Amino acid sequence: MSNSTTNWKKTSWRDHPVLQQPKWPDETQLSAVLESIGQLPPLVFAGEIRDLKASLAQAVHGEAFLLQGGDCSEEFSRCTAPNIRDTLKVLLQMAVILTYAGGKPVVKVGRIAGQYAKPRSSDTEMVNGVELPSYRGDMANSVEPELEARIPNPDRLLQGYNMSAATLNLLRAFTKGGFGALHRVQAWNQEFVKQSPMGRSYERLARQISQALDFMQTIGIDVESPQLKQAQFFTSHEALFLGYEEALTREDSLDGGWYDCSGHMLWIGDRTRQIDGAHIEFLRGVLNPLGMKVGPKHEIDDILAIIERLNPENEAGRMTLIARFGARDIEKYLPPLIRAVKREGLNVVWSCDPMHANIRKAESGHKTRSFDDILSELHCFFELHWAEGTVPGGVHFELTGDNVTECTGGARQLADDQLGLNYLTTCDPRLNAEQSLEMAFRIAEMIRS
Ligand code: PEP
Ligand code: CO
């Protein structure tokens, strides 16, 4: 618990080396903005964060399943009602499919309402032959390929807070106000099944879910009850810009612990998880559930030491390990890591991010991923866990409710030369709504109990 987290303050990360921060041109302006964010209300409450942790604790033991997904990088200009609604809709649809197939509750966590900060592999990038500071997410600078637009501006942190608040407000309204009612979500799935070229193979599953709902109604289960009418939905983002995260870190009056109230779940990227680095230092002291990305470049002993640092009491629900090894390499990297974590008896949710190590560049220059590579990594993830006798507890996607053309493949066999049709992402390619639902049905086939 935070009370016993030794030598930690919400500012103690400042004494550690910090990677991937924007080069803010004016420190005084930065401090002033952070100061005002520090006065604003928290975006989420500690009680909700504790609820999420309890649900994730169930996922550790295979009694629940984590579905995390959303944009690679949210954009201020796309913070609109239709966008938020469509992303929520596709996640709820996927959750129904997975709940039915797995026979266990699905913990729904969006990459949403705060996913505005991006780590980059280089400080600069070449755009149309001109070298510019890299785009680091809308909370730092603008994606526009102009030097002026690329200079980080601290006012964007405040704008990010406001956009997150607006997004959360609508998410809460939708999920509590009946938009996420189970029978509606199921009706959307049936629509999808009718329209998708692969729909017929999903028809049976969709019909069974409907029958189960009808049956519940027949025996008198109140379909207006909060359990069926309301959806529980949580937010998450990469905790990258530590000044912003610090400004939203508050002491809970109930348990006296520190919570980062910028979102429910926070994750540490593959690039910022150095054991003595600022990100680990900051996150060890907040009580939120934490995700940690682990890619091919890791040392097993480091990962074990970081988990120990972040979760010394081995609390279930605190840590989610998000494996992102790529379809080609997962068989090499995942089993030794699983064995080490199992040997140490560490409580973690094992989640699979089949997106980030499957990136390729199409001839057109578009960054893309293929549906088959994503599916293949997922397939291996489940099989490897089953072989080791451990629990594959969740999945992590970059997706959108939009009809984008960013990932290839899927039932409509989106080809490389079609990527330009509706390629909107400012960062990594996302599954579109149809590809996301197909993915859920394909996972359902794997995990059907
Ligand atoms: C991301 O999730 O968008 C990301 C940058 O991932 P990773 O840290 O795994 O590279
Ligand atoms: Co990404």
Side-chain angles (χ1 to χ4, degrees):
M1 297 294 287
S2 74
N3 294 342
S4 61
T5 303
T6 41
N7 299 324
W8 182 90
K9 292 202 294 281
K10 61 180 176 169
T11 52
S12 52
W13 63 271
R14 293 178 180 274
D15 300 327
H16 292 252
V18 58
L19 299 182
Q20 297 285 349
Q21 306 301 292
K23 292 198 169 43
W24 306 106
D26 182 345
E27 285 291 327
T28 321
Q29 192 198 355
L30 173 66
S31 306
V33 170
L34 292 177
E35 172 89 31
S36 46
I37 295 174
Q39 304 297 322
L40 289 166
L43 292 170
V44 301
F45 302 111
E48 299 172 321
I49 296 175
R50 284 190 287 269
D51 287 348
L52 173 59
K53 209 195 259 180
S55 298
L56 291 171
Q58 292 187 301
V60 171
H61 305 296
E63 290 149 12
F65 189 78
L66 167 65
L67 170 65
Q68 189 174 14
D71 290 329
C72 176
S73 173
E74 286 182 276
E75 286 162 66
F76 294 165
S77 65
R78 301 185 67 78
C79 176
T80 64
N83 247 323
I84 297 163
R85 179 198 61 209
D86 291 347
T87 298
L88 175 66
K89 179 173 161 177
V90 79
L91 284 166
L92 293 177
Q93 286 180 274
M94 293 171 80
V96 167
I97 298 163
L98 296 176
T99 306
Y100 186 78
K104 55 185 81 156
V106 169
V107 187
K108 299 172 280 293
V109 181
R111 285 176 65 115
I112 199 166
Q115 178 51 20
Y116 290 117
K118 298 306 301 172
R120 301 311 299 260
S121 39
S122 159
D123 274 345
T124 59
E125 62 191 338
M126 295 298 286
V127 188
N128 306 326
V130 184
E131 190 175 15
L132 293 171
S134 293
Y135 170 63
R136 290 189 173 273
D138 271 13
M139 223 152 68
N141 54 5
S142 161
V143 73
E144 237 178 278
E146 305 288 336
L147 181 59
E148 189 66 19
R150 289 292 175 93
I151 296 171
N153 176 357
D155 286 340
R156 286 177 163 271
L157 294 168
L158 186 56
Q159 208 181 344
Y161 168 90
N162 287 324
M163 296 282 178
S164 301
T167 304
L168 250 165
N169 183 53
L170 194 62
L171 288 171
R172 290 187 195 281
F174 278 146
T175 50
K176 302 301 167 210
F179 176 81
L182 198 51
H183 61 270
R184 288 189 53 145
V185 176
Q186 181 46 23
W188 300 332
N189 277 349
Q190 282 172 322
E191 244 166 71
F192 161 77
V193 162
K194 274 198 217 101
Q195 286 161 13
S196 164
M198 281 280 288
R200 208 127 5 104
S201 57
Y202 309 131
E203 207 172 295
R204 211 159 67 103
L205 188 59
R207 204 172 46 232
Q208 284 170 348
I209 301 175
S210 294
Q211 282 167 352
L213 281 176
D214 290 347
F215 175 72
M216 280 170 20
Q217 210 161 350
T218 311
I219 61 170
I221 290 177
D222 179 10
V223 288
E224 296 298 315
S225 71
Q227 284 89 335
L228 298 184
K229 217 176 159 194
Q230 301 185 357
Q232 218 181 7
F233 188 83
F234 298 98
T235 62
S236 70
H237 60 266
E238 177 170 351
L240 188 67
F241 297 168
L242 293 178
Y244 175 81
E245 302 300 337
E246 177 196 314
L248 282 164
T249 295
R250 312 290 163 89
E251 193 172 15
D252 180 43
S253 55
L254 285 179
D255 72 2
W258 290 92
Y259 290 84
D260 182 346
C261 297
S262 65
H264 298 110
M265 179 178 180
L266 304 166
W267 78 84
I268 312 159
D270 198 40
R271 281 165 262 214
T272 48
R273 53 169 172 69
Q274 301 71 26
I275 185 146
D276 292 317
H279 290 83
I280 298 290
E281 174 57 22
F282 173 74
L283 287 165
R284 82 183 170 95
V286 296
L287 294 178
N288 305 58
L290 302 177
M292 176 161 69
K293 296 284 199 91
V294 186
K297 279 194 227 132
H298 71 273
E299 297 288 336
I300 288 180
D301 287 346
D302 275 351
I303 301 299
L304 298 177
I306 296 168
I307 299 174
E308 161 68 24
R309 175 84 47 99
L310 294 174
N311 191 21
E313 316 215 341
N314 201 16
E315 182 191 7
R318 162 74 163 170
M319 285 302 301
T320 296
L321 283 192
I322 309 170
R324 29 96 81 222
F325 294 127
R328 228 158 286 128
D329 286 334
I330 182 167
E331 280 181 85
K332 176 168 157 204
Y333 292 109
L334 186 61
L337 189 60
I338 292 178
R339 283 175 211 144
V341 167
K342 187 174 167 184
R343 185 188 67 227
E344 300 298 316
L346 301 175
N347 288 315
V348 302
V349 178
W350 281 104
S351 178
C352 177
D353 165 357
M355 313 299 290
H356 282 90
N358 288 316
I359 297 186
R360 64 184 179 88
K361 208 163 200 157
E363 251 176 60
S364 55
H366 293 102
K367 235 200 225 186
T368 189
R369 297 152 166 158
S370 90
F371 188 92
D372 287 345
D373 286 346
I374 295 167
L375 190 62
S376 154
E377 179 162 359
L378 279 170
H379 193 78
C380 287
F381 176 80
F382 283 100
E383 291 292 340
L384 292 169
H385 273 288
W386 290 326
E388 298 293 334
T390 44
V391 177
V395 285
H396 183 118
F397 291 109
E398 287 183 341
L399 56 76
T400 171
D402 244 2
N403 185 20
V404 298
T405 54
E406 298 171 3
C407 292
T408 58
R412 292 193 197 275
Q413 312 251 325
L414 194 91
D416 276 24
D417 62 6
Q418 295 172 301
L419 289 169
L421 293 176
N422 196 25
Y423 193 97
L424 301 181
T425 184
T426 52
C427 205
D428 293 336
R430 302 160 294 178
L431 296 170
N432 61 31
E434 202 174 271
Q435 289 169 327
S436 302
L437 287 183
E438 258 186 85
M439 197 59 80
F441 276 109
R442 299 301 288 268
I443 299 171
E445 285 162 2
M446 295 181 218
I447 64 171
R448 280 189 81 163
S449 47

